[in-house]
Amino acid sequence: MRIDKVLSNLGYGSRKEVKKLLKDGAVIVNGEFIKDAKQHVNPKKDLITFNGEEIQYREFIYLMMNKPPGVISATEDSHEETVIDLLEAEDLVFEPFPVGRLDKDTEGLLLLTNDGQLSHRLLSPKQHVPKTYFAVIEGEVTEQDIVSFKQGVTLDDGYKTKPGELVIVKSGLTSDIELTITEGKFHQVKRMFLAVGKRVVYLKRISMGPLQLDETLELGEYRELTDEEIDLLQNL
């Protein structure tokens, strides 16, 4: 990889700014000053220092966000605030994108990464990656709803969903539930409850595959995944 690309990817500046830094003698590779921006290096094997400090290169970034309501799961939008707008500049240089979508008014676990292969695996219908949601439902959720969801319900467009695992946390005039599904149709959780005559008034994703939402994250906050969490996703 070209040395200017390595440095710009790590947030040391634009290609133009990095070019100047190289000319100023700020970069040493394997003990030799590198001043040519086109010089190719192996960031995984070569010892690269910037102003005397060793550079730790990495190709991928993995972020867990507690998505707030009112923000859309997209990389850019001309009218709405996106989850990318919530990231710090040092993370933006990796050009992460959301893995899947949460509705604008839905909160909770959102994974952002620039690892396209991992994203594809997590979203592939063939993988049946389970996603669990906590929801508040207007109306009483019953044992019959559990049976209906287990059999799959027919949505407003005639599509019959794959089985969903519904757990009633609290039942009454409003009910608290947890629902695990393995597909991601548009507004699926809301439409599944509409299919049984009920309405979702609050929705939060709490897990995706083996990844659990870090409840210490405030709405809009995010952190990097731990090595253990990355391994769990990679080994799905």
Side-chain angles (χ1 to χ4, degrees):
M1 189 183 294
R2 281 174 48 147
I3 186 65
D4 58 349
K5 188 174 191 314
V6 171
L7 293 169
S8 62
N9 279 3
L10 291 173
Y12 286 93
S14 65
R15 291 280 186 98
K16 186 177 179 181
E17 290 167 336
V18 165
K19 202 170 183 178
K20 184 178 184 308
L21 291 169
L22 287 163
K23 284 185 176 178
D24 290 343
V27 181
I28 297 175
V29 178
N30 298 329
E32 294 184 13
F33 284 100
I34 298 293
K35 298 198 174 188
D36 181 2
K38 297 177 183 177
Q39 174 82 37
H40 276 70
V41 297
N42 184 334
K44 294 181 181 177
K45 293 182 178 178
D46 292 331
L47 176 60
I48 307 171
T49 62
F50 177 82
N51 285 337
E53 286 191 14
E54 185 178 344
I55 286 175
Q56 299 293 332
Y57 182 77
R58 54 185 179 146
E59 187 176 2
F60 298 121
I61 190 170
Y62 305 91
L63 304 172
M64 175 196 297
M65 178 182 287
N66 186 359
K67 178 194 164 302
V71 177
I72 64 171
S73 303
T75 52
E76 58 182 338
D77 191 276
S78 55
H79 302 292
E80 305 275 5
E81 184 179 27
T82 75
V83 291
I84 300 301
D85 294 327
L86 302 178
L87 301 182
E88 299 289 339
E90 64 201 53
D91 299 314
L92 285 173
V93 296
F94 289 94
E95 299 181 348
F97 50 84
V99 178
R101 291 175 177 270
L102 288 179
D103 297 341
K104 182 178 176 181
D105 61 348
T106 300
E107 301 176 6
L109 174 64
L110 186 66
L111 174 65
L112 299 105
T113 184
N114 57 351
D115 186 339
Q117 282 192 325
L118 176 66
S119 175
H120 177 73
R121 284 209 310 277
L122 290 172
L123 298 177
S124 171
K126 295 178 182 178
Q127 295 293 335
H128 306 297
V129 174
K131 295 171 281 287
T132 301
Y133 297 81
F134 170 81
V136 178
I137 311 299
E138 191 177 75
E140 184 177 0
V141 179
T142 66
E143 292 295 324
Q144 180 54 50
D145 295 324
I146 293 177
V147 173
S148 296
F149 278 39
K150 193 168 188 178
Q151 294 172 342
V153 296
T154 302
L155 303 182
D156 47 12
D157 60 358
Y159 174 79
K160 185 172 182 180
T161 67
K162 290 185 169 60
E165 183 183 344
L166 177 61
V167 175
I168 300 171
V169 179
K170 183 197 77 168
S171 187
L173 293 176
T174 60
S175 302
D176 295 350
I177 65 92
E178 288 186 5
L179 175 63
T180 301
I181 56 177
T182 58
E183 49 190 352
K185 300 294 181 186
F186 183 67
H187 293 320
Q188 181 163 342
V189 175
K190 296 170 185 174
R191 292 166 68 202
M192 287 179 76
F193 276 99
L194 282 175
V196 294
K198 298 177 176 70
R199 188 169 73 92
V200 173
V201 294
Y202 172 80
L203 187 60
K204 173 183 179 181
R205 184 158 67 189
I206 56 178
S207 71
M208 182 178 188
L211 192 62
Q212 304 283 328
L213 176 65
D214 184 341
E215 296 288 352
T216 66
L217 289 174
E218 299 289 339
L219 287 171
E221 288 186 342
Y222 68 94
R223 66 163 174 79
E224 291 199 41
L225 296 192
T226 64
D227 290 342
E228 182 182 10
E229 289 168 332
I230 294 170
D231 286 344
L232 287 171
L233 291 178
Q234 298 281 17
N235 293 325
L236 264 178

